[in-house]
């Protein structure tokens, strides 16, 4: 039996790529599409909804979400409340919101995934960066994205920073008497290190973690050149969440 999938944000760059991926997999069935501004009532026989409330009682298994940071928490909450296992790529969740959604998923006995990055190379970069930070505690994260991205820093940078915080002993980097003569010049502070966000047309999703030590340096870099790079992760997420009974944060928990 195929897994019935709702795609929220189906007109967006990621949502439309996810729609093509779902259509191309015979184990998945595109059940419904959601976009608050959609004019059409259906696309190739698939119903289009403009309000999530109209999906209460709808027959589907998984809610794929590539929308906007300001609605993603509400959408994920709604999906769990209504029996749809969420697979969420939208970024911008707070740690508290994630903890709350994990608790709700346990209460409902529903699987789910919030993944700041679905690209396997990015998952590896995060893992390698956390490992390297034990030996190279001086580091900076630079994330680079297209200039239409709404949140900063990226969810991937935040997740990388959290993994580094778990692996590395706290260290306040930089000079004791460092002064910013232009606000923001040193980027955002996280656990004693800095995160920088670059936004430029032409970019997709890229991240570097730069480590520095006495007489040596190490740079880890991942590049998503095309949104197709995220789709094997989304596909895996859909197929895994239906077998599970609680939401996880990070694709690495399903690998
Ligand atoms: P995008 O092209 O702007 O797409 C977002 C879409 O969501 C738009 O079509 C938007 O419609 C629609 N939308 C807005 N509010 C909605 C709602 N309440 N319900 C349903 N749809 C709604 O952005 P994108 O590049 O696809 O990125 C979407 C999200 O995915 C961002 O948070 C981005 O950071 C994240 N992302 C994650 C990964 C990952 O691997 N996890 C990778 C890339 C991007 P309007 O344009 O009409 O407002």
């Amino acid at each position: 039996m195929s897994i019935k999938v709702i795609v929220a944000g189906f007109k967006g760059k990621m949502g439309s790529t996810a729609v093509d991926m779902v259509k191309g997999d015979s184990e998945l069935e595109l059940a419904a599409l959601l976009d608050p501004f959609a004019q059409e009532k259906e696309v190739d026989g698939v119903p289009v909804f403009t309000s999530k409330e109209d999906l209460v009682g709808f027959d589907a298994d998984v809610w794929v979400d590539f929308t906007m940071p300001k609605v993603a928490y509400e959408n994920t909450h709604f999906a769990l409340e209504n029996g749809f296992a969420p697979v969420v790529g939208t970024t911008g969740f707070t740690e508290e919101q994630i903890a709350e959604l994990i608790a709700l998923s346990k209460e409902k006995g529903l699987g789910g995934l919030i993944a700041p990055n679905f690209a396997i190379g990015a998952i590896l970069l995060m893992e390698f960066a956390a490992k390297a930070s034990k030996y190279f505690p001086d580091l900076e994260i630079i994330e680079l994205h297209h200039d239409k991205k709404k949140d900063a820093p990226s969810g991937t940078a935040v997740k990388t920073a959290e993994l580094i915080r778990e692996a590395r002993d706290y260290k306040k980097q930089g000079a004791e008497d460092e002064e910013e003569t232009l606000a923001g010049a040193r980027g955002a502070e996280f656990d004693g290190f800095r995160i920088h966000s670059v936004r430029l047309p032409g970019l997709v999703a890229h991240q570097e973690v730069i480590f520095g030590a006495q007489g040596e340096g190490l740079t880890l870099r991942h590049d998503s050149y095309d949104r197709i790079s995220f789709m094997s992760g989304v596909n895996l997420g859909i197929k895994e969440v239906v077998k599970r009974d609680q939401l996880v944060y990070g694709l690495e928990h399903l690998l």
Side-chain angles (χ1 to χ4, degrees):
M1 232 177 43
S2 54
I3 302 170
K4 298 189 179 78
V5 181
I6 297 169
V7 178
F10 77 101
K11 289 181 173 235
K13 294 181 280 298
M14 286 295 289
S16 55
T17 314
V19 163
D20 291 342
M21 180 276 290
V22 171
K23 280 184 176 168
D25 186 334
S26 59
E27 291 174 41
L28 308 180
E29 180 188 329
L30 191 60
L33 301 163
L34 175 69
D35 182 297
F37 310 103
Q39 304 286 328
E40 60 276 58
K41 297 277 172 260
E42 60 171 64
V43 176
D44 297 336
V46 179
V48 173
F49 293 81
T50 50
S51 163
K52 64 179 181 306
E53 282 69 31
D54 293 338
L55 283 156
V56 173
F58 190 80
D59 178 23
D61 308 297
V62 174
W63 175 287
V64 171
D65 199 294
F66 284 107
T67 57
M68 293 167 83
K70 67 174 187 218
V71 300
Y73 168 75
E74 252 178 58
N75 278 2
T76 310
H77 200 278
F78 174 87
L80 287 168
E81 284 289 357
N82 288 281
F84 310 126
V87 173
V88 181
T90 317
T91 49
F93 287 88
T94 64
E95 286 182 44
E96 294 74 30
Q97 287 175 334
I98 290 169
E100 212 182 294
L101 292 165
I102 291 174
L104 178 61
S105 74
K106 285 184 188 164
E107 194 187 306
K108 299 283 175 191
L110 265 185
L113 168 66
I114 296 175
N117 204 310
F118 281 104
I120 184 74
I123 307 302
L124 292 173
L125 165 62
M126 288 188 240
E127 206 177 304
F128 297 159
K131 187 168 184 189
S133 71
K134 277 190 217 168
Y135 309 100
F136 291 90
D138 287 272
L139 62 106
E140 308 230 351
I141 298 177
I142 304 173
E143 57 94 341
L144 311 90
H145 282 81
H146 57 90
D147 62 344
K148 300 287 179 293
K149 183 165 175 59
K150 296 195 170 54
D151 54 325
S154 70
T156 306
V158 173
K159 174 85 182 173
T160 309
E162 288 169 355
L163 293 172
I164 288 171
R165 180 177 57 190
E166 279 168 32
R168 156 189 179 271
D169 291 331
Y170 176 82
K171 179 170 184 192
K172 168 99 179 63
Q173 291 176 207
E176 286 266 310
D177 54 354
E178 182 180 85
E179 232 179 272
E180 269 186 345
T181 54
L182 194 56
R186 290 287 292 115
E189 199 270 342
F190 186 102
D191 206 48
F193 60 89
R194 301 284 167 162
I195 305 177
H196 311 266
S197 298
V198 177
R199 298 290 177 264
L200 286 173
L203 295 175
V204 178
H206 317 258
Q207 180 168 288
E208 283 185 6
V209 185
I210 306 176
F211 300 88
Q214 293 295 318
E216 65 178 318
L218 171 69
T219 302
L220 299 173
R221 180 174 171 113
H222 175 258
D223 297 279
S224 273
Y225 301 114
D226 191 297
R227 289 177 180 83
I228 198 81
S229 64
F230 303 115
M231 289 306 132
S232 55
V234 180
N235 186 283
L236 174 90
I238 293 171
K239 290 175 182 170
E240 280 297 315
V241 293
V242 293
K243 299 183 205 153
R244 295 176 182 243
D245 58 7
Q246 88 171 61
L247 184 145
V248 294
Y249 169 50
L251 184 67
E252 65 278 14
H253 298 292
L254 302 184
L255 294 174

